[in-house]
Amino acid sequence: MTGPRNWLTTALARLVAGIAIVVPATLLLGASPAAAHPMPHSVVQLDVYQSSVAARLELPVSDFSRASGIDLTRTTKARLPSRAAAVRAYLLKHIHPTTAQGKAWRVSIGALSLSRTQQTSTGPYRELTARATLTPPAGADVRHFTFDYDAIVHQVVTHVILVTVRQDWAGGQVDGEGATQVGTIELDVRHMKVPPLKVDLGSGSAWRGFVAMLELGGNHILTGTDHLLFLLILLLPAPLAATGGRWTGLVGARSALVRIGRITLAFTAGHSIALAASALGRLEIPDWPVEAFIAASILVGAVHAIRPVFPGREAVVAGVFGLGHGMAFSFVLAEMHLSTGQLVTSLLGFNLGIELVQLLLVALALPSLLVLARLRVQPALRLTGATLTGIAALGWLADRLGLPNPVARAADSAGSHTTALLITLALAALAATGWTLASRLPGRGTLAVLPGRAPEPPG
């Protein structure tokens, strides 16, 4: 009886031993190197212009040092300029864009910087960033080319280079916030070579650029909390009459509509003129004085909504302050480095987008403004809105003068809730319109007015 038992014991022992060997071996052999030890990849972000392509090269310092022999692992930002010549020379040897016919592009390496970052599957690491300009031969197509780039991957065979497009005006990609993946560059293990990437961005057109700028203009005014607050705070007291330095009465509905129209048109004219002059003149204006000016304009508007500072001259004030807002709008176009033709088309589309959304917001706010002026709670609501706007303006002003604060951060975050803003304005407009219609029904009497005020005459 011992023979079978010994055989069974031996068989079970061998099975357990086999499992103990096979399972770990399978896990080790089957897992990719990235799964065992995730390593950061390189990124190339392309900005496609009319006659050149700008590239932002993001390279992990550890892999770059290993591949190039230029040790940057202990190099500080202050000491980077001493290694800049060697870094640029190395990169130039490993960047070779060519046309579809094989003609070489000209490459130049610009600014270098070091920073700390991290990717989704990796922990924090140091990164080298380099700016490169890729210029094709005269007449060559910037939208179709061969990108031969093997920095790091020619030595670190597990490395991967992710190539994306951040800005492509003719392709309709202008916001700079997202990235479209073009492809990856990595070692071909079958042939042990690093094949170049064929970049094909399709056909671009001025129409696609125009439509993209139209959308960008609309989004810019919709998410620009400061621009919206300035316009709305000037419109808030438009239906009111000023007497003795106080808001003490109502103007007729027709007069209120005329005031609102003048303020809106003046603000439009002011920022349109400044936007065109700044963009077409390619003026290099520091951003902080302009941004501080905008914050100050909102503060002035808030004070005016509490006590009339310039009654009857709101349109003039809107036009003057609109100049500063237009300069701020021009910063968006300046960052795109567009050609003159693209700039003119972009200016038209961008400004049209701003105006369409601005008109939509004024149209949605108009019923509420007219009804609010006739409610008994109007003074409390107006003072509350003006006070909150003034606090936000003070926070912005301090922040833009170099004093960051939570008030400015909270005010900026309001621009991320555009859907809620539109829904709120739309519901308020419907409610105000319904209230107005209901109050005009026979037997319902006249509109409720503030105590001590005479009912508004028709028209």
Side-chain angles (χ1 to χ4, degrees):
M1 296 296 293
T2 56
R5 290 183 179 177
N6 290 337
W7 175 85
L8 181 60
T9 302
T10 302
L12 289 174
R14 289 177 177 176
L15 178 61
V16 172
I19 293 174
I21 294 173
V22 172
V23 172
T26 303
L27 292 175
L28 290 173
L29 295 175
S32 65
H37 184 57
M39 296 297 291
H41 53 260
S42 292
V43 175
V44 178
Q45 286 188 339
L46 303 177
D47 290 341
V48 183
Y49 304 131
Q50 188 170 32
S51 58
S52 66
V53 176
R56 174 187 166 94
L57 314 176
E58 300 173 358
L59 308 101
V61 166
S62 59
D63 285 349
F64 176 84
S65 299
R66 190 184 318 157
S68 65
I70 306 170
D71 188 3
L72 299 180
T73 55
R74 291 185 174 85
T75 301
T76 63
K77 294 180 181 180
R79 295 181 58 190
L80 180 60
S82 65
R83 317 300 299 275
V87 171
R88 291 191 178 98
Y90 169 80
L91 291 174
L92 286 173
K93 291 180 181 178
H94 295 277
I95 305 176
H96 302 289
T98 60
T99 65
Q101 294 74 32
K103 293 184 178 180
W105 288 31
R106 188 172 70 256
V107 179
S108 63
I109 307 297
L112 304 174
S113 62
L114 289 170
S115 61
R116 294 197 66 83
T117 186
Q118 64 181 37
Q119 295 171 0
T120 304
S121 59
T122 68
Y125 64 95
R126 298 188 74 209
E127 180 177 80
L128 170 67
T129 301
R131 303 279 183 171
T133 301
L134 318 178
T135 307
D141 185 6
V142 297
R143 307 187 62 78
H144 300 85
F145 61 95
T146 300
F147 189 46
D148 188 356
Y149 173 64
D150 64 351
I152 297 181
V153 70
H154 74 294
Q155 290 291 336
V156 183
V157 297
T158 58
H159 197 75
V160 175
I161 302 168
L162 179 63
V163 183
T164 64
V165 171
R166 187 185 67 94
Q167 178 181 317
D168 178 9
W169 185 89
Q173 187 171 341
V174 296
D175 56 13
E177 296 182 357
T180 302
Q181 184 169 341
V182 176
T184 58
I185 300 175
E186 54 190 320
L187 179 71
D188 180 354
V189 294
R190 178 178 296 182
H191 301 96
M192 296 306 293
K193 293 182 179 180
V194 181
L197 177 66
K198 300 291 185 180
V199 177
D200 183 356
L201 302 179
S203 59
S205 67
W207 172 250
R208 295 180 68 181
F210 174 81
V211 172
M213 293 304 300
L214 181 73
E215 295 176 356
L216 184 64
N219 289 332
H220 193 72
I221 189 67
L222 193 58
T223 57
T225 315
D226 49 358
H227 302 295
L228 290 181
L229 271 183
F230 173 72
L231 181 59
L232 293 177
I233 202 62
L234 278 186
L235 295 179
L236 183 60
L240 305 178
T243 305
R246 299 174 66 89
W247 298 113
T248 56
L250 297 173
V251 300
R254 185 176 302 171
S255 298
L257 290 175
V258 170
R259 283 187 182 180
I260 291 172
R262 286 177 176 172
I263 292 170
T264 304
L265 288 175
F267 181 64
T268 297
H271 72 64
S272 296
I273 292 171
L275 173 59
S278 302
L280 295 178
R282 301 184 185 275
L283 302 179
E284 296 184 3
I285 306 171
D287 59 349
W288 73 265
V290 174
E291 298 294 346
F293 177 80
I294 290 173
S297 73
I298 300 169
L299 182 59
V300 170
V303 172
H304 177 68
I306 297 173
R307 287 291 182 91
V309 179
F310 38 83
R313 297 189 294 276
E314 290 87 353
V316 176
V317 174
V320 172
F321 282 129
L323 296 172
H325 289 253
M327 291 181 186
F329 292 148
S330 72
F331 295 152
V332 178
L333 299 181
E335 294 174 355
M336 295 183 180
H337 306 288
L338 302 173
S339 65
T340 301
Q342 291 176 337
L343 184 58
V344 171
T345 303
S346 297
L347 184 61
L348 293 175
F350 188 70
N351 203 47
L352 181 59
I354 290 174
E355 307 316 328
L356 290 176
V357 172
Q358 183 175 283
L359 288 175
L360 171 64
L361 294 171
V362 171
L364 290 176
L366 183 60
S368 301
L369 290 172
L370 295 178
V371 169
L372 174 63
R374 291 161 174 78
L375 297 179
R376 295 182 183 277
V377 296
Q378 178 269 128
L381 293 177
R382 173 171 52 83
L383 291 175
T384 300
T387 301
L388 292 175
T389 299
I391 292 172
L394 285 172
W396 274 322
L397 185 59
D399 180 70
R400 294 168 186 183
L401 292 177
L403 298 173
N405 59 87
V407 173
R409 290 193 294 271
D412 286 331
S413 68
S416 61
H417 304 291
T418 55
T419 302
L421 171 66
L422 289 174
I423 292 175
T424 301
L425 286 175
L427 291 176
L430 288 174
T433 302
W435 187 86
T436 301
L437 293 175
S439 67
R440 293 181 182 274
L441 291 175
R444 296 301 299 274
T446 58
L447 293 173
V449 298
L450 291 170
R453 297 185 185 181
E456 178 188 10

